[in-house]
Amino acid sequence: MVHNVALVLGGGGAAGQAWQIGVIAGLAEPGPDLTEAADLVIGTSSGSTTAAYVRSGVPAAGLLASVLSEPAQPVGRPPERPPSLSMAEVFERMRAIGAAATSAADLRRAMGAFGLESDSVLGPEAARQRRAVVAARLPRAEWPDRPMIVVAVNAHTGELAAFDRDSGVDLVDAVTASTALPGGAPTHSINGTHYINGGVRSAENADLASGYANVVVLSPFGGRSGTLPEGQFEGLRREPEWGTDLASQVEALRERGSRVEVITPDAGSLAAMGTNQMDPATRIPAARAGFAQGKQEAPRVTFL
């Protein structure tokens, strides 16, 4: 294999994104700083925001400090999103789509159609506001020099969209597309094509790390689908025969010769992340718990 280290950052809401920063900082204490060691960073959904931070040029300790210095949020504060559709309605529709889907491609197309349908309810102003919110969250608006992939899904066709600095798409647009929850946020239009959250394809999209000798996967939702609120987005129907679940993707990577280490939240991190990972109030506790877990997990990535 030509390439060495790929870092895969899965979706997981506000809590999951902060947890990933904490884990990366914890790993860097006794071991490698993945902000430097990763030759490729792959981000999906909120993981795309983490990817932008990892590639910002700030060391892991500095990234953690930035999360911990954020103003404290009141518990239960709702995420920033248009109020037109309730999350209960969104989750109900997702469950119906998942139940009816006969294949991964079928599910992606149906989710894209749901997103496009919801645009008429959410309205064009919601799309403009959401892009501005995403831009404000990113540490920089330009693509990094080092390789990074941001994953979204074409809402019209259900096809994979893997954006990078050579795709001709602004980083802000790529992250806005990757984090566009169907029904909960407007689809994101780029050059006339609408996109939805990359988690519709896979919560991690670890298969995109094929060809890398070492793969580290940080999966906020991995291993905890049973404890998520019913209908939680990244827990939406992952069938092994479809190859969209993390276990199948990891197995395929290992069969091709990659060494893969998957880190999912431990008991302490799960408690800190709570049951609503979209709640901004979970960010600081999740980052702290991730940092503690990262230090414990460091021996697993000493091969880097």
Side-chain angles (χ1 to χ4, degrees), residues 15-295:
Q17 193 266 337
W19 172 80
Q20 289 173 334
I21 293 294
V23 170
I24 290 169
L27 292 173
E29 282 256 314
D33 186 338
L34 286 169
T35 66
E36 290 293 334
D39 299 298
L40 171 69
V41 180
I42 300 168
T44 298
S45 191
S46 65
S48 67
T49 305
T50 311
Y53 273 84
V54 169
R55 283 298 197 227
S56 67
V58 178
L63 297 181
L64 177 61
S66 70
V67 175
L68 297 181
S69 64
E70 293 174 358
Q73 301 288 347
V75 175
R77 175 188 172 186
E80 296 172 353
R81 57 177 298 275
S84 303
L85 298 176
S86 72
M87 290 312 296
E89 292 174 307
V90 172
F91 289 164
E92 181 180 0
R93 184 67 178 273
M94 287 181 176
R95 288 194 294 272
I97 290 171
T102 58
S103 67
D106 186 37
L107 184 146
R108 293 195 300 270
R109 287 191 294 267
M111 289 289 284
F114 173 41
L116 292 168
E117 172 192 325
S118 301
D119 284 350
S120 61
V121 178
L122 297 169
E125 184 59 29
R128 288 190 288 270
Q129 291 176 351
R130 189 168 177 281
R131 187 186 188 279
V133 168
V134 171
R137 289 174 178 165
L138 298 183
R140 53 184 292 181
E142 300 80 23
W143 284 97
D145 293 332
R146 301 183 66 195
M148 180 175 86
I149 294 173
V150 171
V151 184
V153 169
N154 185 313
H156 308 279
T157 65
E159 295 176 342
L160 165 72
F163 298 118
D164 61 19
R165 64 172 296 155
D166 298 321
S167 62
V169 172
D170 287 347
L171 176 61
V172 174
D173 286 313
V175 175
T176 305
S178 183
T179 56
L181 174 70
T187 63
H188 190 61
S189 177
I190 302 174
N191 299 325
T193 300
H194 291 252
Y195 296 91
I196 58 173
N197 196 299
V200 167
R201 179 180 186 267
S202 163
E204 297 83 16
N205 291 291
D207 58 315
L208 300 183
S210 180
Y212 281 76
N214 303 291
V215 181
V216 178
V217 182
L218 303 188
S219 176
F221 284 148
R224 68 164 296 183
S225 59
T227 61
L228 289 171
E230 186 179 12
Q232 181 73 47
F233 173 54
E234 277 81 356
L236 177 65
R237 195 172 173 191
R238 306 296 182 193
E239 301 291 346
E241 60 266 30
W242 293 355
T244 56
D245 65 306
L246 179 58
S248 296
Q249 294 185 349
V250 169
E251 181 181 0
L253 287 170
R254 288 172 174 160
E255 287 177 350
R256 297 187 186 103
S258 297
R259 175 168 180 172
V260 185
E261 292 293 341
V262 178
I263 299 176
T264 60
D266 61 13
S269 292
L270 288 176
M273 294 163 80
T275 57
N276 178 11
Q277 291 182 226
M278 300 300 290
D279 189 342
T282 62
R283 286 182 54 77
I284 290 177
R288 286 175 174 156
F291 179 67
Q293 182 179 352
K295 289 194 291 184

